[in-house]
Amino acid sequence: MKGNAGWVGCVEDHCCVDRVGGRERGSGTVLAAALALVVMMAMGVMLLLAQSAVLASRAAAAADLAALAAADTLRGITNGDPCMVAAEVAARHGATLASCSEGPGQTVEVRTELGGNPLLGAATGHARAGPPP
């Protein structure tokens, strides 16, 4: 036995065996690996949430622009069918036109869908536009 009373089996420069808590050896590595796994899973969830927020924003922007273009067409500022123009504008922004309806007072209501992550489903946007007050 060398200088420490808690260590047994020490022979010159070879590894010593701890008499107290020898079974807990390596538990810090397991704890660190579990903590790393938890952090990676949290980062994955945060990335999915961020992606869904971006897709929702893009779907809303496509709906806004499609509704404005359809309202301009309905008022006669541009040529064409309002819902066809809305579908073209939505398609230019990567979205599909889910519904388009003309309302009272030359207003147009548009709903768009933007396909995204299979885990989260499609993002939707809704907008209504009409002539200025």
Side-chain angles (χ1 to χ4, degrees):
M1 197 157 50
K2 281 189 172 181
N4 268 341
W7 296 92
V8 291
C10 293
V11 179
E12 295 180 11
D13 289 334
H14 296 322
C15 186
C16 298
V17 178
D18 188 358
R19 186 185 315 171
V20 181
R23 284 185 263 161
E24 293 182 12
R25 200 172 173 145
S27 62
T29 304
V30 174
L31 182 63
L35 184 61
L37 182 64
V38 167
V39 168
M40 285 190 290
M41 288 177 62
M43 291 294 289
V45 168
M46 287 175 48
L47 286 174
L48 280 175
L49 290 175
Q51 183 182 19
S52 68
V54 167
L55 288 176
S57 177
R58 287 179 54 204
D64 288 341
L65 294 171
L68 287 171
D72 284 347
T73 304
L74 186 61
R75 289 178 44 215
I77 295 174
T78 58
N79 295 328
D81 177 50
C83 289
M84 291 299 291
V85 171
E88 289 171 9
V89 170
R92 279 189 230 147
H93 290 88
T96 57
L97 190 66
S99 69
C100 175
S101 60
E102 297 176 19
Q106 292 183 328
T107 62
V108 178
E109 190 170 341
V110 171
R111 292 187 187 274
T112 58
E113 286 186 354
L114 187 65
N117 192 331
L119 275 163
L120 301 172
T124 59
H126 173 256
R128 185 178 328 155

